[in-house]
Amino acid sequence: MNTNAIEAQGLVKIFGDNRAVDGVDLTVRTGTVYGVLGPNGAGKTTTIRMLATLLRPDAGEARVFGHDVAREGSAVRSLIGVTGQYASVDETLSATENLVVFGRLLGLSSRAARAKSAELLEEFSLTDAAKRPLRNYSGGMRRRLDLAASLIARPPLIFLDEPTTGLDPRTRNQMWDTIRRLVADGSTVLLTTQYLDEADQLADRIAVIDRGRVVAEGTADELKATVGAQSLQVGIAEPADLGTALSLVQQVFGAAGVVAPEGLRITVPVPHAEAVADLLVRFRDAGVPISSVSLDKPTLDEVFLNLTGHAASDDTTEPGSPDHAHDDIKKVNA
Amino acid sequence: MSTATLAPAPHTATIQPARVGLAATVSQSFTMAYRGLLKVRHTPEQLIDVTFQPIIFTLMFTYLFGGAVSGSVGAYLPLIIPGILAQTVITASVVTGVQLREDMDKGVFDRFRSLPIARIAPLAGALLADTVRYVVATTITFLTGLVMGWRPDGGVGGVVLAGLLVIVCAWALSWIFAYIGVIARSATFVQGVSFMVLFPLTFLSNAFVEVSTLPGWMQAFVNVNPVSHLVSAVRSLANEGVVTADVGWTLLSAAVVVAIFAPIAVRSYLRKA
């Protein structure tokens, strides 16, 4: 099938004088996982809400399996499942009651709704807690129920808004497995996340969104290539050696190191693993003692810094001011 | 898990018509009403205003005013029970607006809105589920009266008709509060505004006292107040088994309220939902 699950052009949503979404284009191919990566307040949830017909775009247009979200809302709603950032289930009801109500609303008979509910609770390991009111559910159980509720009608497109935010690592892994299974079975998933790692694990393609705009789009590998697959952090023991260390980094890695604020830690993208060994040998040969060494995967902050010139958590600075990017890390050209 | 569980249906097969049909709309509204009743079952404290309140009000007002207004508690019962009934059930209709507002602020409402269902179903379901509250309030008020010695001459038929009339009126009024609930910012605001409307409407009526004892200017208001017509209609139905013109006036008022507030409530609701 060559239809795209989602095609959005120039989506805009304005709240007061805040351009929450400011011209977002997205193309999501059927049968893939698409990750929308960005910090809090970047416009991820607003984008999902527009695609899911919960908000009307102020400009631009979007199609879900060829149906316009503004004009064919009902057709779009029959093709999607939405799992919100905050559990979109009824707190006062039990898990079974929630699923039965949603099933009945979707046109299942009472018996079919009960059967479907039992099946989904089993699938999401919630059978034991099926009769308990959701008040007593953990965050992970609530998310699982929320996802289960999105799957009653087996919609071909599923929106997951930050499905693992606030979950412990084990529960997060379970959620990832579930999402992978959904896709293996042919669903298309659009998920938002604040974690580069999560997008990397799950998404076929990723859009990095910042202040309502898509600032980068591509596969996880393409995205990470912009910051290097890994970064090396070297702690320099003696402040006097910093200059020598930076020039060695430049020579061996062919890239400029970044000095952390406290002044004794250099961070630099690693071109290939061999280079790390070369660099450490050069340090010893040059008599530069080091206090620590570590290899880190690039964080969302680094991707952001690289793509947008400001840190992901940097919510307060005015857009467009040129210098705010380097408040806490300064680039040094050796 | 089986592959069949999660495999999406071929999407061409799941496309529904752009508009939801009437039969589906009705069935979805009943499902939403069922959800409302499930919530009551899990949080029975929601029913306090239609269970304990009628008992307390009936006891309190009857013993407080009985001697002063009618000479004795027994003689006051035929006057006060219909009055208390109207007041209690009408007040119970405020909850529709308060709960609608609370509901619309919750995450679950997003799910309802993202389902391929009639957009009016959550509102219709809420109004439908609340009739159960009115039935409870009506039954308890009548029972309290009977226990206290009220012996309505209208018989079972008259009393049941009187109860139905009150329930219809409360349902009609709940459209006003549904509208306030839809446009309000918070549930507290709905509660505040609604009681500001309700207190004058229920107390400035013939519910508790003889109209002839009131100052002239107040009589003018009390006589046109639809609540007075409702109370008079309930009195003649329950106490005498007679259908008076007040029944007609009451139903007309209810119809007018619905005709005005149902469309604007629905329109504002659809705009927000």
Side-chain angles (χ1 to χ4, degrees):
Chain A
M1 190 179 315
N2 57 10
T3 332
N4 284 319
I6 300 174
E7 283 172 2
Q9 285 100 32
L11 281 183
V12 172
K13 186 72 201 180
I14 302 164
F15 298 117
D17 53 3
N18 170 27
R19 298 180 75 86
V21 173
D22 195 5
V24 163
D25 301 335
L26 287 177
T27 304
V28 178
R29 292 192 39 183
T30 301
T32 62
V33 180
Y34 196 92
V36 175
L37 178 65
N40 273 333
K44 303 186 298 290
T45 300
T46 309
T47 303
I48 278 204
R49 290 175 65 85
M50 285 193 281
L51 294 172
T53 77
L54 295 174
L55 270 182
R56 188 170 278 268
D58 290 326
E61 59 175 351
R63 294 177 174 278
V64 168
F65 295 111
H67 298 278
D68 190 287
V69 294
R71 285 189 294 277
E72 299 168 84
S74 195
V76 171
R77 284 191 285 275
S78 67
L79 297 169
I80 61 171
V82 186
T83 295
Q85 192 169 345
Y86 310 101
S88 17
V89 286
D90 231 317
E91 297 276 305
T92 41
L93 270 51
S94 73
T96 302
E97 288 166 343
N98 262 293
L99 295 181
V100 167
V101 164
F102 296 135
R104 298 279 290 142
L105 285 173
L106 288 163
L108 298 180
S109 70
S110 189
R111 178 190 293 195
R114 276 176 200 289
K116 189 77 198 173
S117 144
E119 185 186 315
L120 283 167
L121 291 173
E122 177 73 40
E123 154 64 21
F124 285 90
S125 320
L126 290 168
T127 306
D128 293 340
K131 291 203 164 64
R132 266 197 271 158
L134 299 195
R135 283 189 288 271
N136 310 328
Y137 271 40
S138 68
M141 290 163 79
R142 223 174 275 216
R143 295 292 175 90
R144 295 211 300 276
L145 178 65
D146 206 5
L147 183 52
S150 300
L151 303 179
I152 295 171
R154 297 185 293 147
L157 171 63
I158 297 155
F159 292 105
L160 299 173
D161 195 7
E162 301 201 6
T164 64
T165 300
L167 297 188
D168 62 73
R170 196 177 67 93
T171 322
R172 183 150 74 137
N173 280 324
Q174 285 175 355
M175 189 57 99
W176 285 358
D177 287 342
T178 309
I179 296 169
R180 287 194 188 100
R181 271 201 316 260
L182 284 174
V183 179
D185 289 338
S187 297
T188 307
V189 172
L190 184 136
L191 69 90
T192 69
T193 180
Q194 300 190 36
Y195 311 120
L196 183 62
D197 186 28
E198 181 161 280
D200 187 14
Q201 288 279 336
L202 298 170
D204 298 300
R205 290 190 78 81
I206 298 168
V208 180
I209 183 168
D210 178 50
R211 292 180 180 147
R213 290 173 176 278
V214 176
V215 292
E217 208 264 0
T219 63
D221 286 342
E222 288 167 358
L223 206 62
K224 278 188 294 185
T226 66
V227 283
Q230 288 186 315
S231 63
L232 174 71
Q233 294 206 16
V234 193
I236 307 298
E238 301 293 334
D241 292 334
L242 191 62
T244 320
L246 281 167
S247 70
L248 286 174
V249 165
Q250 178 73 38
Q251 283 169 34
V252 177
F253 282 22
V258 176
V259 181
E262 66 268 29
L264 286 176
R265 202 174 72 238
I266 299 173
T267 304
V268 63
V270 177
H272 53 93
E274 285 292 313
V276 177
D278 292 345
L279 181 69
L280 296 180
V281 170
R282 294 285 298 273
F283 272 9
R284 184 158 25 157
D285 293 348
V288 176
I290 57 175
S291 57
S292 68
V293 64
S294 66
L295 275 170
D296 294 316
K297 291 196 167 166
T299 63
L300 178 59
D301 256 327
E302 284 166 301
V303 174
F304 257 79
L305 191 63
N306 212 284
L307 289 170
T308 67
H310 68 85
S313 53
D314 183 10
D315 280 341
T316 49
T317 36
E318 287 300 312
S321 67
D323 295 328
H324 68 263
H326 310 304
D327 290 345
D328 50 358
I329 301 178
K330 70 178 171 183
K331 281 198 172 161
V332 177
N333 291 312
Chain B
M1 97 176 176
S2 66
T3 309
T5 309
L6 297 180
H11 72 257
T12 44
T14 54
I15 293 177
Q16 294 182 352
R19 293 186 71 83
V20 181
L22 183 64
T25 304
V26 171
S27 129
Q28 287 154 7
S29 301
F30 273 98
T31 301
M32 290 304 296
Y34 167 70
R35 163 182 173 265
L37 297 183
L38 284 175
K39 282 173 77 170
V40 171
R41 206 176 70 189
H42 286 287
T43 48
E45 61 269 25
Q46 280 183 42
L47 289 180
I48 279 187
D49 67 322
V50 293
T51 50
F52 292 104
Q53 193 180 307
I55 297 175
I56 292 166
F57 273 29
T58 309
L59 288 170
M60 196 171 71
F61 280 112
T62 310
Y63 287 108
L64 197 62
F65 296 144
V69 176
S70 300
S72 75
V73 167
Y76 190 43
L77 281 171
L79 197 70
I80 185 73
I81 295 298
I84 288 275
L85 177 70
Q87 196 212 22
T88 305
V89 181
I90 285 173
T91 308
S93 67
V94 171
V95 173
T96 305
V98 177
Q99 288 188 343
L100 193 64
R101 180 71 265 157
E102 282 174 352
D103 239 16
M104 289 176 77
D105 290 337
K106 280 184 190 152
V108 69
F109 215 76
D110 272 354
R111 181 174 304 281
F112 293 135
R113 292 172 50 206
S114 71
L115 293 176
I117 59 171
R119 313 202 92 184
I120 196 68
L123 178 61
L127 283 148
L128 217 53
D130 282 339
T131 54
V132 172
R133 296 165 44 79
Y134 312 147
V135 172
V136 171
T138 304
T139 311
I140 289 188
T141 309
F142 277 151
L143 285 178
T144 311
L146 291 171
V147 168
M148 292 174 73
W150 177 51
R151 293 293 173 262
D153 292 332
V156 176
V159 168
V160 168
L161 280 181
L164 283 177
L165 186 67
V166 173
I167 290 164
V168 167
C169 287
W171 182 82
L173 280 175
S174 69
W175 281 104
I176 301 182
F177 304 118
Y179 173 66
I180 299 175
V182 171
I183 61 166
R185 274 200 189 174
S186 70
T188 326
F189 178 82
V190 179
Q191 188 107 27
V193 167
S194 304
F195 279 104
M196 224 163 62
V197 175
L198 271 183
F199 270 110
L201 210 58
T202 52
F203 278 96
L204 296 184
S205 72
N206 60 358
F208 302 101
V209 294
E210 297 281 5
V211 182
S212 55
T213 63
L214 302 173
W217 59 270
M218 195 182 266
Q219 283 191 26
F221 178 81
V222 167
N223 283 328
V224 294
N225 184 351
V227 175
S228 298
H229 290 293
L230 171 63
V231 173
S232 301
V234 170
R235 279 183 190 145
S236 40
L237 275 169
N239 292 330
E240 298 150 39
V242 177
V243 179
T244 59
D246 284 316
V247 175
W249 286 116
T250 304
L251 289 175
L252 182 70
S253 311
V256 169
V257 167
V258 174
I260 294 173
F261 282 94
I264 61 171
V266 169
R267 214 180 51 197
S268 323
Y269 172 81
L270 289 183
R271 198 177 296 152
K272 294 221 177 180

